[in-house]
Amino acid sequence: MTPVVNKGAPNVPFYTPVQDPPAGTALDPATAPTLFQPLKIRGMQLQNRFAVSPMCQYSADDGHLTDWHFAHLSQFILRGTALTVVEATGVLPNGRITPQCPGLWKDSQIAPLKRIADFAHSQGQKLGVQLAHAGRKASTVAPWLRPAGAITELAPPEDGGWADNVWAPSSLKFDEGFADPKAMTVDDIKALVQAFADAARRAVAAGVDTIEIHGAHGYLITQFLSPLSNKRTDDYGGSFENRTRVLLEVVAAVRAAIPEAMPLLLRISATEWMEASGEPSWELEQTTRLARLLPAAGVDLLDVSSGGNNALHKVRATMVIHPYYQVDLAGQIREALRKDGLHLLIGAVGMITNAEMARSIVQEGGKAAAAAHDKGSVEVAEEESGGRVVVTQADLVLMARQYLREPEFPLRVAHQLGVEVKWPNQYHRGGWPKDQKI
């Protein structure tokens, strides 16, 4: 008689039962919607199309992740999310948003990140980390510490603030309540690029599966991209080629610092929603132009967000909030690239809160898809969702706030779509009855 053994997960420094296949895997992939189909990103294989978007927690200790981060991220890892991305992680001490944001500027910060990576791997899931520099939006306090109605408040020196050493492309502050930044020298820029490479090497040592460069939301790379915040007259300002130079140098440095098989992701603000400002700004056309350069530069997935570089963007008429307002930007970039014959995976973010929306964003195939392809359009699925014709707008859905409400979101979506998926072994008795509405 063959002995029954509760096998442990391989290649992790502790015992935990192996999850084979990982939670969130469709038990019949052939009949599952694209949302529960595998996705290969360079050398990384995901069992579904769900990812946890980076979420600032303002809970680190001198840049070191803590037990809070382990508990926060593990709840998503356990419940079937294929890729979980650690929040914006400063490549330099002055690149943090707050004194309590994490970093990877020194070797002691590797171990707490490795602990989370080991746990993710023990569950058969993947972990990424977002490398970042906050630029002129640095040295602030956590949102819950700000006075009512304030956009932000500077962190005082006694709380570790560094308002006297905040960097930006030009000495233009973001808004009242933020630091007066210093315009970076060329030597500062070289140090920044090297810091991204060094942080990437530390992330590899920690065992992460992928790295995302943060080029969105008005942080330092966005500040270089936008002519509203970049008024330089040297090789890093002025023309599109000059304003994108820092980003492409960072991409090259990180790509060179990580294994060839490791995917590289980039988060971008597709527009800063300032088209009505009367001045040149960063908008969708420039993002699409940049996206065409990314495959050759070594970027594997573009994570499309928007806004964040100007305090007035939310009151501009060009920004109309609806559930697909950022997803549509991702879809337009994806369509343009495919018309050009370029392969760059696209991630969609923002207000993805239900099963049908998540499914429709990535759904491929169907009779209408083939017909649309013949017309030179993007793939179109057979269904409609909320009155919209469903087009394939992205390859991966990344969510943040919905995960805070529902850490089990992939399992819940699978049940609502009628897809049988693997649950964690230890939770196998917790699944909803087949016909139960949830």
Side-chain angles (χ1 to χ4, degrees), residues 43 90 94 117 122 126 138 205 220 227 337 373 376 390:
N94 76 343
S122 78
K126 302 298 191 290
L220 185 58
L337 294 177
H373 183 71
V390 177

Side-chain angles (χ1 to χ4, degrees), residues 316-331:
R316 295 297 180 184
T318 55
M319 187 178 188
V320 179
I321 302 294
H322 59 85
Y324 286 82
Y325 83 104
Q326 294 188 125
V327 174
D328 287 344
L329 297 171

Side-chain angles (χ1 to χ4, degrees), residues 13 30 44 49 83 98 106 148 189 262 271 292 311 328 438:
M44 180 177 72
R49 307 301 181 94
L83 173 63
T98 76
K106 57 184 176 181
I189 291 172
M262 179 179 283
T271 173
R292 292 187 174 103
D328 287 344
I438 59 170

Side-chain angles (χ1 to χ4, degrees), residues 174-337:
F174 176 72
D175 197 15
E176 293 305 315
F178 287 81
D180 290 303
K182 296 178 178 179
M184 294 173 69
T185 66
V186 172
D187 284 344
D188 290 336
I189 291 172
K190 290 178 180 178
L192 173 78
V193 173
Q194 185 62 50
F196 267 95
D198 292 342
R201 291 189 190 95
R202 294 185 181 101
V204 171
V208 304
D209 301 284
T210 185
I211 287 171
E212 178 172 87
I213 296 168
H214 199 348
H217 300 164
Y219 298 118
L220 185 58
I221 289 175
T222 313
Q223 294 160 29
F224 270 96
L225 295 176
S226 170
L228 290 175
S229 48
N230 183 349
K231 302 297 185 181
R232 300 176 72 95
T233 57
D234 62 3
D235 289 345
Y236 293 95
S239 67
F240 171 86
E241 290 77 12
N242 285 356
R243 286 181 285 109
T244 57
R245 193 180 305 278
V246 163
L247 170 58
L248 293 175
E249 287 182 357
V250 167
V251 167
V254 172
R255 183 75 264 172
I258 64 179
E260 175 62 27
M262 179 179 283
L264 180 58
L265 284 53
L266 170 65
R267 172 163 278 194
I268 197 82
S269 281
T271 173
E272 54 185 326
W273 301 111
M274 292 296 292
E275 292 89 340
S277 68
E279 300 179 59
S281 64
W282 183 262
E283 30 71 27
L284 183 61
E285 185 277 331
Q286 292 181 72
T287 297
T288 304
R289 183 178 174 186
L290 173 63
R292 292 187 174 103
L293 306 176
L294 297 179
V299 173
D300 301 289
L301 182 143
L302 184 63
D303 175 1
V304 181
S305 188
S306 71
N309 194 43
N310 193 295
L312 296 176
H313 78 269
K314 290 187 178 180
V315 300
R316 295 297 180 184
T318 55
M319 187 178 188
V320 179
I321 302 294
H322 59 85
Y324 286 82
Y325 83 104
Q326 294 188 125
V327 174
D328 287 344
L329 297 171
Q332 291 177 63
I333 296 168
R334 186 178 189 272
E335 179 178 11
L337 294 177

